[in-house]
Amino acid sequence: MSGSRSVKGHDSQDGEAALRADVISTALEMSRSELSRGRSGNVSCRFGAGMLITPSGLAYETLQPADIVFVAADGTLEEGAPKPSSEWRFHLAAYSARADARAVVHTHSLNATALACAGKPIPAFHYMVALAGGNDIPLVRYATFGTPELADFVKAGLKDRAACLMANHGQIATGASLDAALELAFEVETLAAQYIKVLSLGEPILLPDDEMALMVEKFRAYGANAQAAEAKRRS
Ligand SMILES: [Zn+2]
């Protein structure tokens, strides 16, 4: 894991203005990278009893903190607020599925989307797959974007995983911070690219479930250590 990305993480203690700025910088980093060229992605973070999410139809380069939209847990908006991303329903569904998630990144990144369009989840072909929390990165069924049906599919896919592929659509990654969610989205895209290469060579050799369970534990410990180091650094 690189740990080199520049978007600054914040926790719930930080102010709303800082979180809004972080949502923008995460969206910018995503759209400038290979993850999601242009506007084909969206970013949110938990805030209060809801979330702050990128708006619909605005270029990320022009975003101001006031353009980031607060959506309450029941889907209601503040009066006069800009229109949230049309995919806000599955962002809320992700927070409802994962109590540990504080941020969500959704992209149509090339390789993850290619696998999702071929109907292929990512199996345990590499130990890094365990970063998503288990022995695969699952694929959830297709439904029209923006629908409650798609939100239900995403919610089920994220029940036991921090990321999943979305059939005929893209990928979604969650994390304990905006940095962590973006980092996981990069990892999912890298794994997807590697898996496609492996498939071109023949049948992948999969790691056994007990080895993947061990990797999940190792990554959990690694994450806890990294968090402790970060807390120490800030204190
Ligand atoms: Zn999408």
Side-chain angles (χ1 to χ4, degrees):
M1 301 207 285
S2 75
S4 63
R5 311 221 177 271
S6 60
V7 181
K8 194 173 176 299
H10 281 278
D11 57 33
S12 58
Q13 308 302 313
D14 292 295
E16 180 175 357
L19 280 174
R20 285 173 177 268
D22 278 358
V23 168
I24 293 173
S25 53
T26 305
L28 277 173
E29 184 164 356
M30 180 179 75
S31 73
R32 284 172 185 156
S33 71
E34 74 275 18
L35 266 192
S36 206
R37 302 242 175 254
R39 279 184 254 166
S40 65
N42 31 71
V43 172
S44 70
C45 69
R46 238 187 240 276
F47 183 69
M51 66 177 177
L52 292 165
I53 186 166
T54 43
S56 172
L58 293 178
Y60 291 146
E61 283 69 22
T62 68
L63 286 183
Q64 298 299 316
D67 298 325
I68 302 303
V69 191
F70 177 74
V71 182
D74 63 1
T76 54
L77 302 177
E78 285 167 329
E79 224 178 277
K83 224 172 131 199
S85 159
S86 57
E87 302 188 292
W88 63 268
R89 279 193 178 84
F90 67 64
H91 281 253
L92 275 188
Y95 295 116
S96 137
R98 303 197 63 81
D100 60 337
R102 299 212 59 83
V104 172
V105 167
H106 162 65
T107 90
H108 302 175
S109 60
L110 181 63
N111 291 286
T113 302
L115 285 178
C117 294
K120 290 184 186 298
I122 303 177
F125 79 100
H126 194 290
Y127 72 87
M128 290 290 277
V129 167
L131 268 182
N135 63 357
D136 67 355
I137 297 171
L139 170 72
V140 304
R141 286 172 58 197
Y142 177 81
T144 307
F145 77 88
T147 58
E149 195 184 12
L150 180 57
D152 285 346
F153 293 159
V154 167
K155 188 173 174 181
L158 292 176
K159 195 171 148 276
D160 300 315
R161 297 290 187 273
C164 64
L165 304 182
M166 301 161 66
N168 307 93
H169 189 151
Q171 61 141 312
I172 181 167
T174 66
S177 65
L178 284 159
D179 268 354
L182 186 64
E183 191 69 38
L184 184 57
F186 274 107
E187 293 293 351
V188 170
E189 175 60 8
T190 301
L191 286 163
Q194 291 166 343
Y195 184 50
I196 289 170
K197 271 218 182 278
V198 174
L199 289 175
S200 77
L201 296 172
E203 197 66 25
I205 297 161
L206 302 185
L207 291 165
D209 286 351
D210 58 348
E211 179 64 12
M212 290 302 281
L214 180 65
M215 291 303 109
V216 169
E217 279 314 308
K218 278 192 182 293
F219 286 139
R220 206 167 276 155
Y222 178 90
N225 288 341
Q227 271 175 15
E230 174 71 8
K232 205 172 166 189
R233 192 184 66 76
R234 286 184 181 208
S235 64

